[in-house]
Amino acid sequence: MPTYVVTHHTNRLQPAQKTNIVQAITQIHSQEGRAPQYLVQVIFNPIPPGDWFINARPVPADQIWIRGDIRPGRTEEQKNRLCERMTAECAAAVGIEGSFVWVYIVDADKTSEFGKVLPKPGEEAKWLEEIDGSVRERYGF
């Protein structure tokens, strides 16, 4: 459901830092976005130096961009808290200044996962019951 892509320079993030980012994003989305943690997906997207620019300049080595595609239905206040907390907690997880972490929260109006169209926020339990047991087992829920 919520899918967060963390873009960073190749080899910038160590395994422990990635783990800390995954844990922060998962917990923050569950708390602020009101979705079960087992639905939060985090993908790391390393970009080689020289392939990422802002204002026609190579971005600094510490730059991290997090794009979160989430279902509609969250208030502006919830989305602001998602952005603020992810900026602060992911910066702390890596040991960088918050100005290097950019967070975009994007409403994804219609999506499907596990072979089924996603439900509205709060209706996940019924939706999950309708997913085949072998599919649930594959992903650990």
Side-chain angles (χ1 to χ4, degrees):
M1 288 194 187
T3 301
Y4 289 90
V5 178
V6 180
T7 300
H8 57 90
H9 277 293
T10 303
N11 299 321
R12 170 56 182 95
L13 299 177
Q14 301 304 312
Q17 292 173 319
K18 288 181 181 181
T19 298
N20 292 340
I21 289 171
V22 168
Q23 290 172 342
I25 289 173
T26 301
Q27 183 176 41
I28 292 165
H29 188 88
S30 180
Q31 292 170 349
E32 303 296 348
R34 306 282 194 249
Q37 286 191 14
Y38 63 80
L39 296 176
V40 179
Q41 177 176 212
V42 180
I43 302 166
F44 289 91
N45 182 33
I47 302 287
D51 284 355
W52 187 6
F53 297 83
I54 297 172
N55 192 25
R57 297 178 183 184
V59 299
D62 284 339
Q63 189 75 38
I64 295 175
W65 180 57
I66 301 169
R67 178 189 165 118
D69 291 306
I70 67 172
R71 292 171 292 157
R74 277 46 177 230
T75 65
E76 289 301 309
E77 184 178 302
Q78 284 175 303
K79 290 188 255 185
N80 285 341
R81 285 194 309 264
L82 284 167
C83 286
E84 291 166 356
R85 286 189 62 195
M86 284 185 195
T87 297
E89 293 181 35
C90 289
V94 180
I96 58 175
E97 184 182 309
S99 66
F100 287 113
V101 179
W102 296 11
V103 179
Y104 291 24
I105 301 297
V106 180
D107 287 336
D109 290 338
K110 206 40 91 179
T111 54
S112 70
E113 292 179 2
F114 311 110
K116 296 218 171 264
V117 173
L118 296 172
K120 293 179 182 175
E123 298 177 7
E124 295 90 359
K126 181 179 185 291
W127 173 83
L128 185 60
E129 288 175 10
E130 296 173 358
I131 295 175
D132 184 81
S134 64
V135 175
R136 289 195 314 264
E137 186 176 323
R138 180 188 318 150
Y139 296 99
F141 29 85

